[in-house]
Amino acid sequence: AGSIIEIAPGRYSGGAGMANVHGRQDAPIVIGGADPRNPPVFEGTGEGLKISSSSYIKLRNIVFRGYQVNGINIDDGGDVRKPSHHIILENIRIEDIGPHGIHNALKMSGVDHFIVRKMHFEGWGGAGIDLVGCHNGVIESSRFLYKQGFRTANSIQIKGGSRSILVQNNLFVNSGTRIVQI
C-alpha cells in the first residue's frame, strides 16, 4: 500500500498482470508513466494489462497498443463476492485492439467504485469500454474515436447486472453502431 511505480518513457513489448494487490484508501498503489508528456507505450499480443481481485489501484499516463484480446482487463478473479474495487484509470490511451470480434479496449467484470477519466480510445473490435457486473462507477472526459479497419461495435457497453454508472462529458466520433448500449 502506498507504493508509487513510475515507468520510464519507451516501448515495452508483451503484457503484464497482477492479482490480489491491495492499496488502502489513504495509501493507494499508483502505477504510471514517469513523464505524462512522453508516456510509456506497451505493445503486444493477447492482453495489455490484466488486474484481478485487487483494490485501491490508480493507473495513469500509459499507452496500450495493438493487443488482440483486450487492452486492459480488470475483474473479480471469478469470485463475484469479492469484486475489485476503488480503481482509477486516468490519462491512458488504448488503441488498435482486435481489430474484429469481441475484443475490448477496456473490459471490466466485477469492479466496484471506479473512475475512468481522461482516457483516449481509438480502434477496437468489440467495445471501447465493456462493463459486466460493475457498480458505482464514473466514465468521464474521455474520447472514443473510430479507426478504419476496426469493427468498433460499441463505445460503452453497460450490462450484466451493472448499476449506478455515470457517463458524462465524453466525446464520441463515429465510434460504434451503438454509442452507449445499456
Side-chain angles (χ1 to χ4, degrees):
S3 294
I4 298 173
I5 300 168
E6 292 186 330
I7 305 166
R11 289 173 122 49
Y12 299 88
S13 62
M18 67 178 91
N20 299 307
V21 176
H22 301 280
R24 294 189 316 263
Q25 182 176 0
D26 63 332
I29 296 170
V30 179
I31 302 169
D35 180 357
R37 294 175 314 256
N38 188 15
V41 177
F42 288 84
E43 298 174 302
T45 60
E47 289 186 311
L49 177 62
K50 170 80 172 200
I51 300 174
S52 293
S53 305
S54 297
S55 63
Y56 294 102
I57 306 288
K58 182 176 184 177
L59 300 173
R60 63 182 180 201
N61 307 322
I62 305 173
V63 176
F64 293 94
R65 180 183 298 138
Y67 291 93
Q68 296 164 334
V69 179
N70 295 307
I72 298 175
N73 185 350
I74 305 172
D75 65 25
D76 57 18
D79 187 347
V80 297
R81 297 168 298 150
K82 298 179 182 177
S84 286
H85 59 90
H86 293 92
I87 306 292
I88 298 173
L89 305 176
E90 189 170 52
N91 196 32
I92 296 174
R93 289 180 70 95
I94 305 175
E95 50 194 32
D96 302 343
I97 306 301
H100 303 287
I102 304 173
H103 304 291
N104 306 302
L106 173 59
K107 172 73 175 178
M108 297 174 73
S109 306
V111 181
D112 291 351
H113 304 286
F114 65 89
I115 298 171
V116 174
R117 178 187 300 133
K118 295 182 184 175
M119 301 278 287
H120 179 96
F121 301 94
E122 187 170 354
W124 58 87
I129 299 176
D130 186 32
L131 305 178
V132 178
C134 295
H135 312 103
N136 305 310
V138 176
I139 301 168
E140 66 182 1
S141 303
S142 295
R143 298 168 52 95
F144 297 82
L145 307 175
Y146 170 80
K147 188 167 191 175
Q148 184 71 32
F150 289 82
R151 179 172 166 242
T152 312
N154 306 301
S155 290
I156 300 172
Q157 182 166 259
I158 303 169
K159 61 185 184 180
S162 294
R163 70 175 181 275
S164 300
I165 309 297
L166 175 63
V167 177
Q168 65 180 4
N169 302 321
N170 296 288
L171 173 66
F172 303 96
V173 179
N174 298 324
S175 57
T177 306
R178 298 183 183 111
I179 301 303
V180 177
Q181 177 171 307
I182 300 173

